[in-house]
Amino acid sequence: MNEASMTEKASGDTPDRDAAAGTIRVLVAKLGLDGHDRGAKVVARILRDAGMEVVYTGLYKSPGEVVAAAVQEDVDVIGVSLLSGSHVPLFRELGRCLREEKSEHIFVVAGGVIPEQDYAALWDSGVDAIVPQEARAELIVTTIRSLIAARGRV
Amino acid sequence: MTVFTPSRPVRRAAYRPSIELVPEILAGNVAAIARMITRAEAGYPEAAPALAEIYRHTGKAHVVGITGVPGAGKSTLVSSLIRAFAAEGHKVGVVAVDPSSPFSGGAILGDRVRMSEAASSSQAFVRSMATRGHLGGLARSTLQAVDVLDAAGYSPIIIETVGVGQDEVEVVTAAHSIVVLSAPGLGDDIQAIKAGILEIADIHAVSKADKPEAAATVSALRGMMTLGSERVRSKWAPPVLPVSAVSGERIGELKDAISRHWGHLRDSGELAERQRGICRTRILGAAKYLFQRKFDERAGEIGEHIQAVVNRDMDPAGAARLLLGWTDEGQAA
Amino acid sequence: MNLFSETAIEDIREKQAAWEEKELAAALGNRPEEKPAYETECGIPLKRVYTAADIADIPADELGFPGAYPFTRGAYPTMYRGRPWTIRQVAGFGNPEATNQRYKYMIQTGQTGLSTDFDLPTLLGLDSDDPRAFGEVGRVGVAIDTVDDVDRLFDGIDLEKISVSLTINPSAWVVYAMYVAVAERRGYDLHKLAGTLQADPLKEYVAQKEWIYPVRPAVRLLRDLIMYSAKATPKINPISLSGYHLSDVGGNALQEIAFIMAFTIAYCEEVTGAGMDIDDFAPRLSFFFISHQDFFEQICKFRAARRVYAKIMARRFKARKPESMRLRVHVQTAAMSLTKVEHHNNLMRTAIQALGAVLGGCQSMHTNGLDEAFAIPTEEAMKLAIRTQQIIRDEINVTSVIDPLGGSYFIERLTRDMETEIWKLLDEVDERGGAVKLVEEGWFQQKLADSAYATFQKIDAGEKISVGVNRYVDEASRSAEVHIHPYDEACTQLQIDRLQAVRASRDNARVRELLKDLAEQARSDDINLLPKTIEAVKAKATLGEICAALREVWGAYAEPMIV
């Protein structure tokens, strides 16, 4: 808790957003009533082992609860794994809640069982990436890092 | 294998200067509060003036530390306390601290699993925080997060420490009221004594009161209280309260005890003493951090001193005094 | 008595030593083996070759005979010669009528038993119009709100003639009550109803993660169900102890069996503690295991599980009836092993796993559809899955001889090794205070999450091969254009309309009264809740209302933080 009372003058030429990459924070969430949490927990560990801070929500969260948590935790990414087939309505609602909270800078990354025919609906809901079930750890980590690199710090 | 992405480009985000966030924080804007905490954690120099400004608006909140061995049920208890205080119209802030992985620097912050229902109430703000290598049971910027919540009008603000082991009782010099949670059947009454966290308690809570073993833990703790408290100067006698976070039973009593302790601190004048202790620790902590940063940044200059010590031209304590500019200090190293 | 004479074993050992020195050494000198060490998926070391010397320590009684203690070689004396396993494909989606149509199609295709999947709101005790059911109605199973929905589900199907499996868990006792009410309404003899409820609460907390109440009340509901069903519907299995899900969430074969046996022990203690004799309900305990990828390990798993169960029932619970010690198992092939990449490969995977289940002696089986990695299977995929079982049953002559791999040095050694490891895990559970306590503490959850992550890391590092995914990757092979089973968007509204019609037309005062009585009964631990629940469903109380009434009494389950 011995905080930095940062008395040095901020250097105007190097805005903080570009200074350090910063610690990436990800909310790993389970939406709706789907109890399959094996994948979500494996992803949480992968991201932790890649140096990210992962806030895990636990099961049975509504889109509104997930967005409220994401805002309080000021995460860069919401990762949602869904295997219950209800991804289209739930991601639509998640996207609506994010817009309502003016938090569209938070990326939404989807995983789980999502058939390709539903991709377009998810893009319309504001989903930024869909990670295939067989993805390797490195692919998941790179996806998140490159999204944030493209956006910049907020 | 590839990740599928939409055809739209990634939106470039705007970085809002920290100082612009301050009025929003004072008005209670949740997103602004959250962002400011992130910047305090990151240690952006840009955020320093904003944090200084925020600090001027603090000092109203009752800061409550909750500590106890891992598995005692701290998150569940905090969740119940949020509900109890929110029911009385309080805006409750929570900073829940979890350890970072020493290997990757990452962390899994799971306190919301137990708190999510309470945390999604509009009267609560819950922030999970990783220690990022800081020892002592808190994160380096935990108290800056508390400042931000204080300035935004939250009170009480609950700090949930990482499960305490030996020496991890930094929360003592961070909070006004300390609740130590023990759980029956974990053998932790003994662990707690070893860890030295019993005597820091202003209030003892014993979780899982619905279990038969809880009564034994309660009477063991009460027995120890009568043996004499460390805080002989205080008129406050730490109560021992069984609670069941699951059924919500007797959470009201704990909430009342926490409020009563706050009243006691103010009425007895002990609050000023605690405030000074907290500020002293914070100044010292900030100084250590700043010195560490300077030390890391000015490698060249430090290198000369190192060589001097290697050459036996100077002793290590002398070099440190020189760097600190406290050359007039005595020989105590 | 041992299987081999000591002199024979001595002779084999000598000859093996000579072989190792000569032929083996020469071969290894020529070309080393591909891996320094070989092991099963669950980590049991494998030798190059097994001989009689490797099973010299196993008493002959440990094998026994089919249909006799310790049931290593099979649950029944005649096995598939007397009755082939039941082809039981699970199905459930949309409104009850939609599932009913699928049932009729599957019966026509040659399926011999029915099996129902319910949607998530039904499993979790929520009505279709509950806000928490948003987007979930009729998705992964059929939506059930009232007794009338159960009637619609089995419309035109004679429940005295076909056995019905209901994959229902936290709300199982309500759906059972509805099933009984429908049977009574149709004038069936309850003693002729045959089938299985899944109703395994402990595995929900650690694996499938569908729950309503805290752990202990959930176990009490199961106890009530077992005790009521034993008398009212003696041919229904009130529980299917589901190792499958333990595997699905990451458990290995040893954890699957050991943990499910720990749960079995907990349930038996609960029921016998309430005063029922073990032999009055144990014959109706049934099991549900996975048939996974490691072929021989899985076959040995089934054999070891039968032996462990028989010993638990005989020694720990002092059962006297052989039926109480006989483990009967429904098997599903491993959904986890299916890939989206080159999804036709899933047919081969499933066929091999199904063969393993048959060689392991299963009593009924669900083979996964090749499109299950995409969505719930289409009719075409289900037909191929049924055909897979029919080919194994009718074309390749694996059903004529019981336990055809029994006596194989390797199979007997591995069966024995797995049994030993299972006992070790069971001892640990006992030492730590038993299954219910450990579920509450999250002990099983942590073990399974650790195992899941370890498996992921093995796949990630390429140590565990997935053809088409991390080996023999064909960059040109695109994700398939599969026909996905369509979701009926009108499904939710239809369920909600019906619910409202029911609530408008029933005697609401009576429903309130019954729900109040039920909640009152739940407060005392020694009243069986089934009679009152059956009364309530007959009065058209909804599933959501009944579950909510008890939530008022018992509260909701709070998940421990395990990642």
Side-chain angles (χ1 to χ4, degrees):
Chain A
M1 68 163 178
N2 35 338
E3 69 255 34
S5 304
M6 290 150 289
T7 46
E8 295 114 309
K9 223 179 89 204
S11 160
D13 296 329
T14 50
D16 290 290
R17 58 180 302 172
D18 296 325
T23 305
I24 293 174
R25 286 171 65 89
V26 182
L27 187 85
V28 171
K30 286 297 299 179
L31 266 185
L33 305 179
D34 177 24
H36 294 93
D37 61 358
R38 170 185 176 143
K41 288 179 173 180
V42 167
V43 167
R45 290 201 194 190
I46 290 170
L47 301 181
R48 178 203 54 198
D49 290 349
M52 300 182 194
E53 289 180 357
V54 181
V55 180
Y56 179 63
T57 64
L59 290 169
Y60 306 157
K61 297 297 173 282
S62 71
E65 287 171 331
V66 168
V67 169
V71 171
Q72 290 182 3
E73 299 289 353
D74 193 28
V75 293
D76 302 290
V77 177
I78 299 174
V80 177
S81 133
L82 259 181
L83 294 86
S84 67
S86 47
H87 43 272
V88 173
L90 287 173
F91 277 107
R92 195 189 301 133
E93 182 62 12
L94 186 75
R96 195 191 63 74
C97 293
L98 275 173
R99 283 192 301 281
E100 196 174 273
E101 295 296 321
K102 297 189 180 54
S103 294
E104 293 109 309
H105 64 278
I106 301 175
F107 294 109
V108 177
V109 177
V113 177
I114 297 170
E116 274 177 54
Q117 61 179 27
D118 293 335
Y119 284 9
L122 263 54
W123 305 144
D124 289 344
S125 303
V127 170
D128 298 283
I130 298 172
V131 179
Q133 267 185 302
E134 293 106 353
R136 296 187 52 187
E138 195 193 337
L139 184 63
I140 300 170
V141 170
T142 334
T143 300
I144 289 175
R145 289 208 177 117
S146 50
L147 280 171
I148 293 167
R151 181 197 67 183
R153 303 297 300 178
V154 288
Chain B
M1 191 171 311
T2 51
V3 162
F4 299 91
T5 49
S7 48
R8 62 168 185 267
V10 172
R11 308 169 291 267
R12 194 76 192 154
Y15 183 96
R16 297 187 55 210
S18 296
I19 204 76
E20 281 182 20
L21 297 175
V22 175
E24 292 176 24
I25 289 165
L26 297 179
N29 179 296
V30 171
I33 295 167
R35 183 62 40 78
M36 199 64 223
I37 294 174
T38 305
R39 291 182 182 174
E41 278 193 286
Y44 290 159
E46 181 270 340
L51 286 166
E53 175 62 22
I54 285 167
Y55 188 77
R56 298 197 321 118
H57 294 88
T58 61
K60 296 162 295 206
H62 178 201
V63 183
V64 181
I66 297 204
T67 192
V69 293
K74 294 189 288 293
S75 298
T76 312
L77 181 70
V78 170
S79 176
S80 306
L81 284 174
I82 293 173
R83 271 193 293 266
F85 278 109
E88 291 193 340
H90 292 271
K91 276 174 74 183
V92 188
V94 175
V95 183
V97 187
D98 280 312
S100 297
S101 157
F103 306 105
S104 70
I108 291 176
L109 311 169
D111 295 296
R112 293 194 91 94
V113 172
R114 280 306 181 91
M115 286 183 207
S116 69
E117 202 192 319
S120 48
S121 136
S122 58
Q123 272 171 270
F125 185 106
V126 176
R127 179 60 172 240
S128 314
M129 193 173 256
T131 54
R132 300 193 182 177
H134 187 81
L135 302 174
L138 300 181
R140 181 182 58 78
S141 36
T142 298
L143 285 193
Q144 287 178 315
V146 169
D147 288 344
V148 176
L149 289 167
D150 186 346
Y154 287 85
S155 183
I157 298 165
I158 299 170
I159 301 173
E160 184 197 323
T161 72
V162 304
V164 252
Q166 211 105 23
D167 300 330
E168 290 181 342
V169 289
E170 193 177 26
V171 72
V172 181
T173 49
H176 303 122
S177 307
I178 311 290
V179 179
V180 173
L181 182 66
S182 306
L186 280 180
D188 53 343
D189 33 5
I190 297 150
Q191 284 174 41
I193 297 162
K194 262 171 72 181
I197 61 169
L198 276 187
E199 57 254 42
I200 68 168
D202 298 304
I203 296 161
H204 283 285
V206 177
S207 63
K208 299 166 189 159
D210 38 27
K211 297 205 169 182
E213 310 93 274
T217 309
V218 169
S219 56
L221 280 170
R222 284 192 179 136
M224 257 175 297
M225 292 302 104
T226 56
L227 290 179
S229 163
E230 294 288 310
R231 293 224 177 90
V232 278
R233 283 178 299 150
S234 175
K235 289 204 177 75
W236 176 262
V240 181
L241 302 171
V243 291
S244 170
V246 177
S247 63
E249 230 174 290
R250 310 184 71 173
I251 291 295
E253 286 176 43
L254 177 60
K255 183 210 67 190
D256 292 342
I258 291 171
S259 303
R260 229 176 29 250
H261 184 250
W262 183 227
H264 163 81
L265 286 179
R266 285 186 299 192
D267 299 343
S268 66
E270 283 177 38
L271 181 60
E273 190 188 332
R274 287 215 181 188
Q275 297 277 33
R276 284 188 63 82
I278 292 170
C279 291
R280 182 183 184 281
T281 313
R282 288 186 72 173
I283 295 167
L284 182 60
K288 281 182 188 163
Y289 176 73
L290 286 175
F291 183 71
Q292 176 77 51
R293 263 186 27 175
K294 276 223 163 73
F295 200 89
D296 295 341
E297 281 163 14
R298 303 191 184 176
E301 194 185 323
I302 302 295
E304 290 170 25
H305 286 88
I306 293 173
Q307 197 52 50
V309 174
V310 170
N311 296 345
R312 300 297 186 274
D313 294 337
M314 205 190 301
D315 76 311
R321 276 196 297 276
L322 206 65
L323 285 169
L324 276 167
W326 289 0
T327 44
D328 55 338
E329 205 184 301
Q331 288 302 305
Chain C
M1 192 195 72
N2 287 344
L3 290 165
F4 305 95
S5 76
E6 268 177 45
T7 48
I9 294 299
E10 244 350 277
D11 186 44
I12 288 167
R13 287 210 171 104
E14 270 169 36
K15 285 177 176 155
Q16 184 169 7
W19 167 81
E20 280 173 3
E21 228 166 88
K22 200 176 163 211
E23 286 90 347
L24 178 65
L28 288 175
N30 246 342
R31 183 198 174 104
E33 292 172 332
E34 289 189 353
K35 290 193 279 185
Y38 291 73
E39 60 178 30
T40 67
E41 190 72 42
C42 67
I44 294 178
L46 293 175
K47 291 183 164 184
R48 186 171 292 110
V49 66
Y50 288 80
T51 70
D54 291 301
I55 56 170
D57 63 318
I58 303 174
D61 290 348
E62 291 288 296
L63 270 73
F65 286 88
Y69 187 86
F71 297 95
T72 310
R73 309 206 61 184
Y76 296 100
T78 59
M79 284 301 285
Y80 305 138
R81 294 163 73 112
R83 184 166 74 175
W85 70 90
T86 307
I87 300 179
R88 193 189 297 280
Q89 299 295 106
V90 68
F93 50 85
N95 303 110
E97 295 86 337
T99 301
N100 179 265
Q101 263 184 351
R102 171 69 71 95
Y103 283 165
K104 287 175 177 162
Y105 171 81
M106 284 158 58
I107 290 171
Q108 194 194 328
T109 313
Q111 168 153 305
T112 49
L114 292 180
S115 182
T116 310
D117 261 347
F118 297 89
D119 70 0
L120 290 166
T122 305
L123 290 168
L124 294 170
L126 305 172
D127 283 335
S128 295
D129 60 351
D130 191 294
R132 286 166 287 181
F134 171 77
E136 311 272 17
V137 176
R139 286 273 178 194
V140 295
V142 62
I144 299 292
D145 295 309
T146 68
V147 63
D148 295 345
D149 288 329
V150 173
D151 207 354
R152 292 183 186 105
L153 181 63
F154 298 109
D155 181 58
I157 296 168
D158 187 344
L159 300 176
E160 283 189 359
K161 300 252 163 65
I162 193 160
S163 73
V164 176
S165 171
L166 303 168
T167 308
I168 186 81
N169 283 292
S171 57
W173 95 103
V174 184
V175 171
Y176 171 83
M178 290 176 173
Y179 193 77
V180 167
V182 165
E184 285 185 0
R185 187 193 281 182
R186 293 189 189 175
Y188 293 142
D189 177 358
L190 294 187
H191 285 242
K192 284 189 182 154
L193 298 180
T196 303
L197 296 146
Q198 190 164 91
D200 173 2
L202 292 177
K203 74 98 173 46
E204 288 297 329
Y205 297 101
V206 310
Q208 199 164 235
K209 314 286 168 76
E210 286 144 13
W211 50 63
I212 306 174
Y213 311 114
V215 179
R216 284 168 204 267
V219 173
R220 177 254 175 104
L221 276 172
L222 171 68
R223 179 201 73 189
D224 288 0
L225 180 62
I226 290 175
M227 295 177 77
Y228 185 87
S229 174
K231 296 209 164 73
T233 53
K235 282 177 73 185
I236 284 183
N237 305 315
I239 181 170
S240 176
L241 288 132
S242 305
Y244 182 92
H245 304 100
L246 303 175
S247 170
D248 198 44
V249 80
N252 63 32
L254 299 171
Q255 290 170 327
E256 178 188 359
I257 303 304
F259 293 178
I260 209 64
M261 289 303 158
F263 298 169
T264 305
I265 290 168
Y267 300 145
C268 288
E269 284 173 349
E270 180 81 13
V271 177
T272 53
M276 192 173 235
D277 190 282
I278 189 80
D279 283 320
D280 289 341
F281 68 94
R284 280 293 156 206
L285 300 178
S286 66
F287 288 81
F288 173 28
F289 296 157
I290 202 166
S291 184
H292 221 306
Q293 289 164 294
D294 189 329
F295 191 69
F296 293 113
E297 176 204 75
Q298 293 295 302
I299 292 168
C300 294
K301 175 187 83 178
F302 294 116
R303 302 174 89 246
R306 278 194 295 269
R307 196 145 80 203
V308 168
Y309 179 70
K311 290 178 184 175
I312 290 172
M313 294 320 247
R315 295 176 187 171
R316 187 164 183 146
F317 291 102
K318 313 280 182 244
R320 297 169 311 279
K321 286 188 191 167
E323 301 93 291
S324 300
M325 309 169 203
R326 173 176 64 203
L327 182 148
R328 298 164 305 138
V329 64
H330 170 73
V331 173
Q332 182 172 339
T333 54
M336 268 301 294
S337 70
L338 305 185
T339 62
K340 277 175 95 168
V341 180
E342 300 182 4
H343 74 290
H344 286 107
N345 297 346
N346 294 335
L347 265 181
M348 270 73 82
R349 294 189 174 102
T350 298
I352 293 165
Q353 292 162 14
L355 178 62
V358 170
L359 296 177
C362 70
Q363 275 59 57
S364 73
M365 178 153 49
H366 169 104
T367 29
N368 290 319
L370 81 164
D371 55 358
E372 247 163 84
F374 298 86
I376 64 169
T378 56
E379 270 187 10
E380 177 63 21
M382 267 302 105
K383 185 172 168 184
L384 278 169
I386 292 174
R387 293 290 182 249
T388 304
Q389 294 198 45
Q390 289 166 334
I391 289 167
I392 294 172
R393 187 183 65 192
D394 300 329
E395 290 190 3
I396 62 171
N397 198 16
V398 290
T399 54
S400 300
V401 175
I402 300 166
D403 189 30
L405 298 181
S408 147
Y409 307 131
F410 169 42
I411 292 293
E412 296 304 346
R413 179 73 261 161
L414 185 52
T415 301
R416 181 69 162 180
D417 286 349
M418 291 182 78
E419 185 195 349
T420 307
E421 294 302 317
I422 291 165
W423 287 122
K424 278 187 205 160
L425 283 168
L426 280 169
D427 286 345
E428 188 177 356
V429 170
D430 276 340
E431 279 160 22
R432 290 176 181 273
V436 173
K437 175 167 173 281
L438 291 184
V439 169
E440 288 179 326
E441 289 172 6
W443 184 83
F444 295 104
Q445 293 90 316
Q446 191 66 60
K447 293 270 175 205
L448 294 169
D450 289 349
S451 178
Y453 193 52
T455 303
F456 173 83
Q457 288 178 311
K458 271 193 204 162
I459 298 172
D460 208 43
E463 287 165 30
K464 184 170 156 58
I465 295 169
S466 180
V467 170
V469 175
N470 67 1
R471 194 69 69 91
Y472 321 112
V473 180
D474 182 355
E475 295 296 346
S477 79
R478 306 272 310 150
S479 189
E481 290 282 320
V482 291
H483 172 71
I484 304 279
H485 176 86
Y487 173 68
D488 179 8
E489 296 290 341
C491 160
T492 309
Q493 199 51 50
L494 179 60
Q495 283 304 115
I496 292 175
D497 290 347
R498 279 178 179 164
L499 257 173
Q500 284 167 351
V502 167
R503 290 199 188 111
S505 63
R506 67 185 183 185
D507 180 346
N508 278 305
R510 179 166 155 69
V511 170
R512 272 195 300 275
E513 190 64 27
L514 286 167
L515 292 175
K516 213 177 116 228
D517 292 351
L518 184 67
E520 203 43 53
Q521 289 190 350
R523 279 174 219 285
S524 89
D525 189 49
D526 47 11
I527 302 178
N528 193 307
L529 297 180
L530 259 302
K532 190 59 78 181
T533 307
I534 293 171
E535 250 188 277
V537 303
K538 282 181 180 166
K540 306 272 174 94
T542 68
L543 178 122
E545 291 163 347
I546 292 169
C547 292
L550 298 192
R551 208 185 280 112
E552 290 294 309
V553 180
W554 291 328
Y557 176 66
E559 177 185 8
M561 167 54 200
I562 308 283
V563 171

